[in-house]
Amino acid sequence: MAVYMRRSFSHVKCIRLCACLKVKNILTSDMYFSPDATVGRESESGIHPFPRQLKFPLRPGEPWHDRYSFVMFPQSSSKTPYDTIRQITPRPTSSMTQKPAQKPAMRPARQAADHEDFASGMDNTLQRVAGRNVDVSRATASMADISALTNIQKMPSKIRITADLPEINYADDDFQTAEAPYGTGQFDHYSIVADKNKKDVHIFAQPGEEVIVHRNSTSEAKMKANKSVTLPAKRSTSKTLQPDPIMKLQRVIGFGGVGKGQACWTTDGKSVVYPSHTLIVSINVDTKRQRFFAGHTEKVSAVCLNASSSLLASGQTGAQSLVRVWGYKEGNCLAIVKTHDHGLCMLEFSVCGRSLCGIGKDAKGQNMIVMWNLAEVERGMLTVTAKAHTDVDVIAAALDPVDSARLVTCGHDNVQLWRVRDGSLRCCSVSLRGGQKRAGISDVCYKTTKETAAGVTIYVSCLSGEVVRIDPDLAAVTSVQSLRSDPSLVESRRPSSCISITAMAASASLFATTSTDGFLRFWMPDFSRVLIEVEHEEPLLQVVFTQDGHRALVSTAVGSLAIVDVATDSYRTLLRAHTDEVLDMAVSEDLLGTVSADGTIRIWSLETSQQLYDFSISGEVPCNISFRSSSSEFACGFLSGRVTVFSVPQAKALTELKQLRGQITGLAYCAGHEGTLCYCDQFGTITLYRTSGTGYRLIRGLPNAVYRHLELAPNALVVSRNGSHIACVGPSEYVVTVMDTAALNEVLRIDVSSVKLPSGAPYPALDTAQQVAFLTSASSHELLVATSGSRLLRFDAWSGKLLAQLQPVHTGACTAVIASVDGRYVLTAGDNCIKVWDSSLRTNVIPQMFIGHSSRINSLCFTADGASLVSAGDSVFYWSFVRSREQKSLDSNDVYRKPELQSNAASLSVHHLIDDIPCRDISTSLNTRTAELITRQGNQRPVTPQNFRQAFEQKEEKEEGKQFSVPKAKKHFKKAMKQSSLAQRRYTALAGQAGLKLNSVIGFNGNSRNNVVWHPETGLFIYTSGCVAIVEDLKDGTQRHLMGHVEEISTMALQHDCQVLVSASGSSGAAACSQMCIWDMQSLACRTVLSQHRTDVQSLDFCLDDRFLLSVGNYQDPKIIIWSTYDWTVTMTTHASYPVHTALWNPFRSCEFMTVGEQGRMTFWLLEENHSNRTLAQLSMHEPDVPDELLYNKLGNVVHFTSACYISDKHLCLGTSSGRLALWDTTTNICIMHWIADESEIGVITGRSERLVTGSQNRLCLWDAAGLTQLSDSSQTLPKVAVSGDMELEGYVTTANFDSALVMGIVGTDTGTLWYINWSENVHIRLVSSHRDKVSITIYSEIF
């Protein structure tokens, strides 16, 4: 460390990206690189050519700076501050032959004299393509002469982000913010903050974007970056499960402490803090009241409090060894830090409270000691003061109570003294007894004393019974003392009298030691004699004194904590707990029984959670338990198949029942039938017993009745509340059987695999039953079944009729299901959490979710009065269950809907939205084409993404079978009338043996919609004609053909990387379903054919990252399907409630899309992925209100929404059948403004930033929409909207593709014509022409 600590380094060690970015690689270097540098001239200029990692692909002859941006940060010039961010542009090269006509407005950057090659400040704009005269009358011959289409390398380059980055530098203040020049480019909204103290530069994008805190509907707390936000107040279609929250954690029976550092006292000595797996519990030692700190994701391995008990630190085990610092009084987490790789075992505050020490493992498995500075913990920051790695083992450590910079660690054979100096940890080894290392060191502690210069002495305990005294200043052993069990034998050397010390603690006047023989001993300061000796039956692990030294806390190896009052010589047990997983539990009137994998059966008091009895059988592990109704007896099943009945008052076993072959998977007493007991084993045998006098009489044994699977344990058998029926999964995994408890006669059998979805479609996978429960209310007797497909089914227990179903319930397996005592609620356990549902299983009632368990929840059980719930897994949780006094009746007309998207919150609340959303009306004069804005005032309520996910659910009651009339909008695809059919007998020639080969196709199908694909950067040009997709080269007119459809192609879509094309056609006699062909654009081969839509496909679109494909059917079957492009499987499917005309993904936000259609309907959709199981994705929707001015035309008829386009990340432009354009704010789903754009239906909208292109009947318009992207629902002044270009075309515009600058494009009309459009030259050229109807005859000649 002395070698490296004073060196200067030029490489960056860490880069923190404070944004959602896709980063492929980050490279750092101390050399200057330039794309224009040449090999061999590095020594002359000091500039090096790009290494191999930076040689990005370029097209032949394309300048490097036309495609990529180059930013140098920081600069090394002494004349420029190091934190200046500026653009690096080389000198002109030979490839740039002329200067641009006009420079864009750009903020000047400082120039560095010694690096002028990097700051020449050249403009990025490419030269303008000169205009070319084209003879329009010769449309066919002019196709190859359109240089703007074929010369792809001359297209305008993309906007470079470096053109908009401002300069920043440090001033006298710690922070300085620089704002970007407004209106300089597409990156208009960002700010940069420089922190002088931390040498960091932070770039924040869009500081004015809304940040909304989500509250309950009654909350009044709002937050926004720049302005206040009004929370919505009107009730949405979703209902909140009431009361909210319906459960509250009251007590925890569990102690997760293993080893040292697992429990600590508060300063006042009134409370003890200890971990219970992932929870941290603070318990008052007098009242036994508990407080909880939840947030860890793995088992907590260390807890500690500072000297004032204002801060609590905790660390967890596992690969994510997170350290959390809490405000102890408030119970909130102040900071989170991850420094250790794994194995965090110790945390301790310094005596001054300004430092925190932690010991764990690094990535190489070495012990790592870290000191954190707590000066900024209130701001959520923990900085590393010092860090050291060591190969010696560390089993215990202690911080100096006088000097906060000193600490000591010990291993099995070593003692190390550490000191923080100059930002590093330095160590010194202590030689034990002249260099002879003493084996078996167990603990180390400090004790204040006046005998040494440092004011403290170090004491080290050994398993051999010796206590070693060390002077920290001399780093030497001053004395060694051997402790004996009897003071009269201090001088004796008999090994039998030695005490094997496991832990040690020191107070001002006492020493305390624990040993392997179970004794806790309190010694005089000189270890001359024992003052108090407490014997335990189990080994002791830890002892901790209070700050005044009057009481001591001791932990045992069997999961108990006890308190010893030294002053009064009193002893009491604070808590007991299982040391392994709780496998099952049962509740009687006032008792709770639990069985655990640690081999014990324990009986607890429900009122106080104190352990009353402890049972165990040598060599047996209990796995099931059930109380008899009288609470005087309980039965227990074991892994060996043994079943034993115990008596609680007598605390002994009463009788042994018939032992089965395998593990007991279900066991239950039947309420109402006193003494009736049923149990089953893993091989499917059910046994029925009934009491006869003082014994148990076998009634019936039924083999192969229960499905053979251990996952059903411990709930393989469930009994109805009146005890008359029993239910189980069996004899197969697809069947649930209900039997009577009189003689196990079968009453009902339900096949779960035959249950269909609410839409009537079969379930996509074969479903199996996992858990069963009875739901009994005053008016019904029902059965709940949880399946492997994450469904929860509700059946009538008498007829077997399916009453309701819900999906998904949990992402993983459902481990327990139970109904509340009053039958109003259903509780499920899975994914280490508990969810509470309304018993109706209607998805418009949002469930509540409760976390706390760190592993599988094995059992749920209500108390007899239904006021409390007990859950068992890693620990036993005791919840108070609050039942609403009024049960609101649900509308019987409510339909099944898809489940609400879940989060990992403790409870889920609904956020309401408002129907009367205001908008802005725009009336326009068709003569001037200038919009005059008319605003309408009203209350505005934002719709946040969380509202979007939680408040709206999809309606699917009758959408699949609903019939719609033929849409009146021209936008909707209507299949051309067929006047011929395919031959009944068809033959396909082998490869290379075909006698005919298609050479070219003349014509374009104007009947289809969005059936033209043109990629400006690659020049890829595809259009359709009938059932053929034509790939045409615009330079020479050669064609290649994609043939695979048997019906007319209705629409197409191309991935953003141009690797995959999807074309869709409808169904016919030859194709029962529609065909969606997936084409590989490299080989032009069909990868696969998808068939899910029953009729024609109306719309196709790929999402931003090409992971999903969206397809929508026509008016006959408006099914919405989301496909995964990874394996082309269905991720999500639903039905729209109206015929959809246009569907498109949000190009700025992943997993969001929208649909528009008939009767002025529009819907915003959100897809929530499940990364652990892609088949369990969730879909939510929001259908906003449409203002009347936009919804109705002049005659009072409802208009149709025909087209849409996202023009920015916050704005959506919408076109209607009446010729209006509307601007919507996608962050609030509010219509901001609308204006009359045309007299006919708008079929196509495409836009980028401040330009907009619309296509309608015989007309194509270019709109100057400057200022629209800066408009919000609160803007007081609205921009002018005017037409800057207008072209007359033949027919209704059905498709349009433009470049990123909206200068050039290709447009198709329903007359079968494709046009080349150039707005800069105001020309339109006919590329392809075709007949609109059937071609009757053709004539061929040598000339034409």
Side-chain angles (χ1 to χ4, degrees):
M1 295 180 65
V3 175
Y4 292 98
M5 65 183 298
R6 288 183 173 85
R7 285 191 177 183
S8 298
F9 298 93
S10 59
H11 290 69
V12 178
K13 181 179 180 182
C14 179
I15 295 178
R16 181 172 53 190
L17 302 176
C18 302
C20 296
L21 302 175
K22 292 182 179 180
V23 179
K24 182 178 181 181
N25 202 353
I26 295 179
L27 305 175
T28 61
S29 176
D30 57 353
M31 297 185 296
Y32 286 102
F33 294 107
S34 174
D36 303 307
T38 57
V39 180
R41 300 184 60 186
E42 297 89 342
S43 59
E44 300 178 7
S45 60
I47 303 173
H48 297 259
F50 273 175
R52 177 177 58 85
Q53 292 84 349
L54 295 178
K55 290 182 179 179
F56 302 137
L58 292 171
R59 288 192 289 267
E62 181 183 18
W64 192 91
H65 292 278
D66 292 347
R67 179 169 288 271
Y68 304 105
S69 299
F70 188 66
V71 179
M72 181 66 68
F73 175 78
Q75 299 185 71
S76 61
S77 172
S78 60
K79 299 180 181 181
T80 305
Y82 85 95
D83 57 323
T84 301
I85 302 179
R86 55 180 188 169
Q87 181 180 350
I88 305 303
T89 309
R91 294 175 177 175
T93 60
S94 58
S95 61
M96 300 181 184
T97 57
Q98 72 180 79
K99 296 182 178 180
Q102 184 179 0
K103 282 190 175 183
M106 186 174 177
R107 187 171 181 173
R110 298 184 180 181
Q111 307 296 322
D114 55 347
H115 295 99
E116 60 179 352
D117 288 339
F118 293 97
S120 58
M122 277 195 60
D123 187 82
N124 300 326
T125 307
L126 292 179
Q127 57 184 354
R128 184 183 181 84
V129 179
R132 184 183 297 269
N133 296 326
V134 181
D135 188 1
V136 181
S137 61
R138 301 180 58 189
T140 306
S142 301
M143 290 175 57
D145 298 329
I146 304 174
S147 61
L149 269 171
T150 57
N151 296 334
I152 304 303
Q153 65 273 14
K154 294 186 179 182
M155 289 181 57
S157 61
K158 296 181 178 180
I159 299 175
R160 294 169 56 181
I161 188 173
T162 56
D164 296 326
L165 287 178
E167 294 181 53
I168 63 170
N169 48 63
Y170 293 130
D172 296 334
D173 299 334
D174 290 342
F175 294 93
Q176 180 172 343
T177 303
E179 296 293 339
Y182 186 82
T184 56
Q186 73 182 70
F187 298 91
D188 288 338
H189 303 285
Y190 62 86
S191 62
I192 299 179
V193 177
D195 188 349
K196 181 177 180 180
N197 296 330
K198 297 187 179 180
K199 302 295 187 292
D200 287 343
V201 175
H202 304 274
I203 300 177
F204 300 95
Q206 300 178 353
E209 187 175 359
E210 288 186 357
V211 180
I212 301 177
V213 175
H214 305 281
R215 311 285 185 186
N216 291 334
S217 58
T218 59
S219 177
E220 298 180 355
K222 281 81 67 176
M223 180 184 298
K224 190 175 178 181
N226 293 332
K227 58 183 179 180
S228 62
V229 178
T230 303
L231 284 178
K234 186 172 181 179
R235 187 178 64 181
S236 69
T237 57
S238 299
K239 302 179 179 66
T240 306
L241 187 67
Q242 294 295 335
D244 187 6
I246 199 170
M247 294 198 310
K248 185 177 180 181
L249 184 60
Q250 295 293 331
R251 297 190 298 272
V252 172
I253 301 176
F255 176 55
V258 178
K260 289 191 61 61
Q262 293 300 311
C264 57
W265 288 95
T266 56
T267 305
D268 55 9
K270 295 182 179 180
S271 300
V272 173
V273 179
Y274 64 93
S276 178
H277 302 280
T278 58
L279 281 180
I280 302 171
V281 184
S282 174
I283 182 172
N284 187 291
V285 297
D286 297 324
T287 64
K288 302 296 179 67
R289 183 177 180 181
Q290 295 181 347
R291 294 175 54 211
F292 308 100
F293 301 81
H296 284 283
T297 57
E298 297 287 345
K299 293 186 178 182
V300 178
S301 57
V303 293
C304 66
L305 284 163
N306 64 350
S308 61
S309 294
S310 60
L311 295 178
L312 168 67
S314 60
Q316 67 184 45
T317 59
Q320 298 291 335
S321 291
L322 297 178
V323 174
R324 289 177 176 264
V325 179
W326 313 76
Y328 176 72
K329 295 181 180 179
E330 298 80 8
N332 60 325
C333 183
L334 301 177
I336 304 175
V337 64
K338 181 184 184 302
T339 307
H340 299 88
D341 185 76
H342 64 282
L344 183 67
C345 61
M346 194 279 289
L347 288 173
E348 187 172 351
F349 284 99
S350 62
V351 64
C352 63
R354 293 191 295 267
S355 299
L356 175 66
C357 178
I359 300 178
K361 301 286 186 179
D362 59 12
K364 298 181 179 179
Q366 292 181 319
N367 286 305
M368 183 168 64
I369 305 173
V370 180
M371 297 290 293
W372 290 284
N373 187 359
L374 302 175
E376 298 184 354
V377 68
E378 298 290 342
R379 298 174 55 190
M381 300 178 63
L382 288 179
T383 57
V384 176
T385 304
K387 181 169 58 176
H389 303 260
T390 177
D391 291 327
V392 298
D393 61 325
V394 177
I395 61 174
L399 266 67
D400 195 314
V402 176
D403 188 353
S404 299
R406 295 173 180 263
L407 70 148
V408 60
T409 63
C410 68
H412 292 287
D413 57 356
N414 68 88
V415 176
Q416 307 286 330
L417 303 180
W418 299 83
R419 185 175 183 179
V420 180
R421 176 175 292 181
D422 298 332
S424 63
L425 270 170
R426 303 179 182 182
C427 73
C428 173
S429 298
V430 178
S431 178
L432 302 178
R433 282 252 176 143
Q436 296 179 358
K437 294 185 177 181
R438 197 170 294 274
I441 294 176
S442 59
D443 202 0
V444 63
C445 69
Y446 277 97
K447 187 178 187 302
T448 56
T449 180
K450 297 181 180 180
E451 298 178 2
T452 60
V456 294
T457 302
I458 299 173
Y459 289 85
V460 179
S461 63
C462 303
L463 294 176
S464 58
E466 294 176 330
V467 175
V468 181
R469 184 177 178 183
I470 299 175
D471 189 330
D473 286 336
L474 303 177
V477 176
T478 58
S479 65
V480 178
Q481 191 169 1
S482 180
L483 303 185
R484 305 288 172 174
S485 57
D486 189 349
S488 63
L489 301 177
V490 171
E491 300 298 329
S492 175
R493 299 301 178 187
R494 290 185 300 171
S496 59
S497 61
C498 292
I499 300 172
S500 182
I501 304 174
T502 58
M504 180 172 59
S507 67
S509 58
L510 291 175
F511 275 98
T513 61
T514 62
S515 55
T516 55
D517 57 4
F519 277 91
L520 170 64
R521 297 179 176 91
F522 293 91
W523 303 80
M524 294 290 292
D526 56 354
F527 293 98
S528 59
R529 64 188 182 92
V530 177
L531 298 177
I532 302 175
E533 193 174 65
V534 182
E535 184 179 5
H536 297 76
E537 296 180 356
E538 59 278 341
L540 306 180
L541 301 177
Q542 178 197 16
V543 59
V544 183
F545 277 106
T546 57
Q547 192 171 16
D548 56 11
H550 293 169
R551 289 188 290 184
L553 179 72
V554 59
S555 62
T556 68
V558 295
S560 64
L561 285 175
I563 298 175
V564 178
D565 195 320
V566 180
T568 61
D569 293 346
S570 62
Y571 178 94
R572 58 172 170 158
T573 301
L574 182 63
L575 64 92
R576 288 186 174 93
H578 288 285
T579 59
D580 209 334
E581 180 183 12
V582 179
L583 300 178
D584 194 15
M585 68 174 178
V587 174
S588 67
E589 294 181 357
D590 55 352
L591 298 179
L592 168 68
T594 59
V595 293
S596 172
D598 60 9
T600 62
I601 308 166
R602 305 194 186 193
I603 308 299
W604 315 78
S605 170
L606 271 179
E607 182 179 357
T608 62
S609 297
Q610 293 296 310
Q611 180 178 318
L612 304 178
Y613 301 94
D614 189 338
F615 299 86
S616 64
I617 298 178
S618 178
E620 295 284 352
V621 177
C623 56
N624 292 87
I625 186 172
S626 179
F627 274 101
R628 194 172 174 179
S629 58
S630 61
S631 296
S632 60
E633 297 179 7
F634 68 90
C636 184
F638 296 85
L639 295 182
S640 62
R642 180 178 184 175
V643 177
T644 305
V645 179
F646 294 87
S647 172
V648 176
Q650 302 176 23
K652 68 176 184 178
L654 294 179
T655 183
E656 293 284 340
L657 303 183
K658 178 182 179 181
Q659 181 170 348
L660 301 181
R661 293 183 297 165
Q663 173 185 337
I664 302 299
T665 57
L667 182 146
Y669 274 99
C670 300
H673 294 67
E674 182 66 24
T676 301
L677 176 66
C678 292
Y679 60 90
C680 64
D681 69 347
Q682 68 182 84
F683 296 104
T685 300
I686 296 182
T687 304
L688 179 65
Y689 274 89
R690 189 168 288 116
T691 56
S692 176
T694 58
Y696 280 76
R697 180 169 57 91
L698 178 63
I699 302 299
R700 186 180 182 185
L702 191 62
N704 300 322
V706 181
Y707 175 55
R708 301 183 178 187
H709 204 292
L710 291 177
E711 289 297 326
L712 299 179
N715 307 310
L717 295 179
V718 292
V719 180
S720 61
R721 182 155 303 164
N722 57 9
S724 60
H725 292 85
I726 189 171
C728 64
V729 178
S732 69
E733 66 269 34
Y734 310 107
V735 176
V736 174
T737 303
V738 179
M739 296 174 283
D740 60 26
T741 56
L744 296 183
N745 297 316
E746 183 176 320
V747 176
L748 180 67
R749 179 173 291 190
I750 301 174
D751 187 358
V752 177
S753 62
S754 62
V755 177
K756 297 183 178 180
L757 295 174
S759 60
Y763 193 70
L766 199 59
D767 212 356
T768 62
Q770 286 186 330
Q771 298 292 331
V772 184
F774 280 99
L775 189 153
T776 304
S777 62
S779 59
S780 63
H781 187 62
E782 298 167 356
L783 189 67
L784 298 170
V785 180
T787 70
S788 59
S790 189
R791 289 196 294 175
L792 186 60
L793 310 176
R794 184 163 62 96
F795 298 93
D796 187 282
W798 302 111
S799 63
K801 179 182 178 181
L802 178 66
L803 302 178
Q805 62 173 301
L806 186 69
Q807 182 195 14
V809 181
H810 295 278
T811 56
C814 183
T815 57
V817 178
I818 192 174
S820 62
V821 175
D822 55 8
R824 296 177 179 179
Y825 306 100
V826 174
L827 288 81
T828 61
D831 306 327
N832 303 342
C833 68
I834 302 172
K835 292 184 180 180
V836 184
W837 311 80
D838 187 86
S839 60
S840 62
L841 300 188
R842 301 184 187 274
T843 56
N844 62 338
V845 182
I846 304 174
Q848 297 181 20
M849 180 171 64
F850 300 87
I851 61 175
H853 287 278
S854 62
S855 60
R856 170 190 167 111
I857 301 174
N858 294 318
S859 182
L860 298 174
C861 191
F862 275 99
T863 56
D865 57 359
S868 300
L869 174 77
V870 186
S871 60
D874 49 8
S875 302
V876 178
F877 285 16
Y878 191 90
W879 309 79
S880 62
F881 194 85
V882 183
R883 294 172 294 175
S884 60
R885 296 181 180 179
E886 297 182 2
Q887 179 66 16
K888 297 181 179 181
S889 61
L890 298 176
D891 187 4
S892 60
N893 295 325
D894 287 351
V895 298
Y896 299 131
R897 301 190 180 105
K898 280 195 174 294
E900 213 277 327
L901 294 182
Q902 304 297 330
S903 64
N904 290 329
S907 63
L908 305 178
S909 300
V910 64
H911 298 266
H912 303 295
L913 300 175
I914 282 196
D915 295 334
D916 52 346
I917 298 178
C919 65
R920 310 206 173 197
D921 183 18
I922 295 186
S923 301
T924 184
S925 172
L926 294 178
N927 297 327
T928 60
R929 300 295 179 184
T930 302
E932 298 176 359
L933 309 181
I934 302 175
T935 62
R936 182 165 65 91
Q937 301 297 330
N939 296 326
Q940 302 176 7
R941 312 189 185 182
V943 181
T944 64
Q946 284 79 359
N947 274 342
F948 183 82
R949 290 195 299 266
Q950 293 181 356
F952 295 95
E953 298 171 341
Q954 176 191 359
K955 296 181 180 179
E956 288 190 348
E957 182 187 22
K958 299 178 181 179
E959 304 299 348
E960 183 177 7
K962 189 175 181 179
Q963 298 295 326
F964 298 98
S965 59
V966 179
K968 298 179 181 179
K970 293 183 179 180
K971 178 68 175 181
H972 205 85
F973 170 74
K974 304 175 184 65
K975 186 185 300 184
M977 183 177 296
K978 294 177 59 176
Q979 300 180 1
S980 62
S981 60
L982 290 174
Q984 296 298 322
R985 302 177 64 184
R986 298 181 295 274
Y987 302 94
T988 302
L990 299 177
Q993 299 182 11
L996 295 176
K997 181 180 180 181
L998 182 61
N999 184 35
S1000 63
V1001 176
I1002 301 175
F1004 163 69
N1005 186 8
N1007 187 55
S1008 300
R1009 300 295 182 261
N1010 296 326
N1011 57 330
V1012 175
V1013 170
W1014 175 55
H1015 196 266
E1017 296 184 359
T1018 61
L1020 181 65
F1021 179 47
I1022 308 173
Y1023 60 95
T1024 69
S1025 179
C1027 60
V1028 179
I1030 305 164
V1031 184
E1032 183 170 328
D1033 192 333
L1034 289 172
K1035 294 183 179 179
D1036 54 14
T1038 58
Q1039 294 181 355
R1040 292 176 294 172
H1041 305 93
L1042 306 178
M1043 294 183 293
H1045 291 279
V1046 296
E1047 287 293 320
E1048 177 185 9
I1049 297 177
S1050 59
T1051 185
M1052 292 192 307
L1054 180 69
Q1055 279 189 350
H1056 296 84
D1057 57 3
C1058 301
Q1059 299 298 314
V1060 175
L1061 173 77
V1062 180
S1063 58
S1065 63
S1067 59
S1068 66
C1073 294
S1074 63
Q1075 288 182 311
M1076 292 173 53
C1077 295
I1078 311 299
W1079 304 94
D1080 186 345
M1081 297 313 298
Q1082 300 296 327
S1083 61
L1084 297 184
C1086 182
R1087 291 184 181 177
T1088 184
V1089 177
L1090 309 178
S1091 299
Q1092 284 288 337
H1093 293 280
R1094 295 199 299 265
T1095 58
D1096 296 302
V1097 177
Q1098 172 67 23
S1099 183
L1100 292 172
D1101 194 27
F1102 282 98
C1103 67
L1104 176 62
D1105 52 9
D1106 292 332
R1107 292 190 301 116
F1108 297 108
L1109 170 68
L1110 174 66
S1111 64
V1112 181
N1114 70 347
Y1115 71 96
Q1116 296 173 321
D1117 182 24
K1119 179 186 286 187
I1120 300 175
I1121 301 178
I1122 300 175
W1123 307 81
S1124 171
T1125 58
Y1126 176 75
D1127 52 4
W1128 300 107
T1129 57
V1130 176
T1131 301
M1132 177 63 66
T1133 178
T1134 184
H1135 280 76
S1137 58
Y1138 55 88
V1140 176
H1141 298 326
T1142 299
L1144 70 157
W1145 289 95
N1146 189 331
F1148 304 97
R1149 300 176 184 174
S1150 60
C1151 297
E1152 293 185 18
F1153 66 94
M1154 62 92 59
T1155 58
V1156 297
E1158 285 285 288
Q1159 301 297 319
R1161 302 284 294 277
M1162 63 183 300
T1163 307
F1164 294 93
W1165 304 82
L1166 175 67
L1167 176 67
E1168 183 95 358
E1169 299 180 72
N1170 189 313
H1171 298 285
S1172 61
N1173 189 344
R1174 291 186 295 110
T1175 62
L1176 298 179
Q1178 313 255 359
L1179 189 64
S1180 295
M1181 54 82 74
H1182 173 216
E1183 187 170 334
D1185 283 352
V1186 180
D1188 294 341
E1189 296 84 351
L1190 181 63
L1191 186 60
Y1192 299 97
N1193 57 16
K1194 297 179 180 180
L1195 301 178
N1197 299 324
V1198 179
V1199 301
H1200 313 294
F1201 292 159
T1202 54
S1203 54
C1205 176
Y1206 287 91
I1207 61 175
S1208 72
D1209 59 340
K1210 296 183 180 180
H1211 297 87
L1212 170 75
C1213 194
L1214 193 69
T1216 69
S1217 59
S1218 62
R1220 280 186 176 267
L1221 288 177
L1223 185 68
W1224 290 73
D1225 189 336
T1226 57
T1227 62
T1228 60
N1229 294 353
I1230 294 177
C1231 179
I1232 302 176
M1233 55 184 285
H1234 56 85
W1235 68 96
I1236 298 177
D1238 208 304
E1239 296 178 345
S1240 60
E1241 176 182 318
I1242 297 176
V1244 170
I1245 301 177
T1246 179
R1248 298 292 188 276
S1249 187
E1250 298 180 353
R1251 307 187 80 184
L1252 197 67
V1253 174
T1254 61
S1256 57
Q1257 183 70 33
N1258 301 328
R1259 193 155 177 254
L1260 194 70
C1261 294
L1262 176 65
W1263 296 83
D1264 184 5
L1268 285 184
T1269 55
Q1270 283 77 37
L1271 196 63
S1272 66
D1273 57 345
S1274 61
S1275 300
Q1276 300 299 325
T1277 60
L1278 302 179
K1280 298 282 186 177
V1281 182
V1283 175
S1284 60
D1286 197 346
M1287 292 185 184
E1288 296 291 335
L1289 303 178
E1290 296 178 1
Y1292 174 76
V1293 178
T1294 60
T1295 180
N1297 288 267
F1298 280 85
D1299 60 5
S1300 58
L1302 290 183
V1303 176
M1304 297 180 297
I1306 296 178
V1307 174
T1309 63
D1310 62 352
T1311 59
T1313 306
L1314 287 178
W1315 301 86
Y1316 161 67
I1317 306 297
N1318 192 316
W1319 291 112
S1320 62
E1321 299 177 2
N1322 198 25
V1323 297
H1324 55 284
I1325 302 170
R1326 194 188 309 266
L1327 296 179
V1328 177
S1329 297
S1330 60
H1331 294 279
R1332 299 187 63 174
D1333 208 340
K1334 177 182 177 181
V1335 178
S1336 301
I1337 190 172
T1338 58
I1339 301 176
Y1340 173 78
S1341 70
E1342 296 180 356
I1343 301 176
F1344 301 102

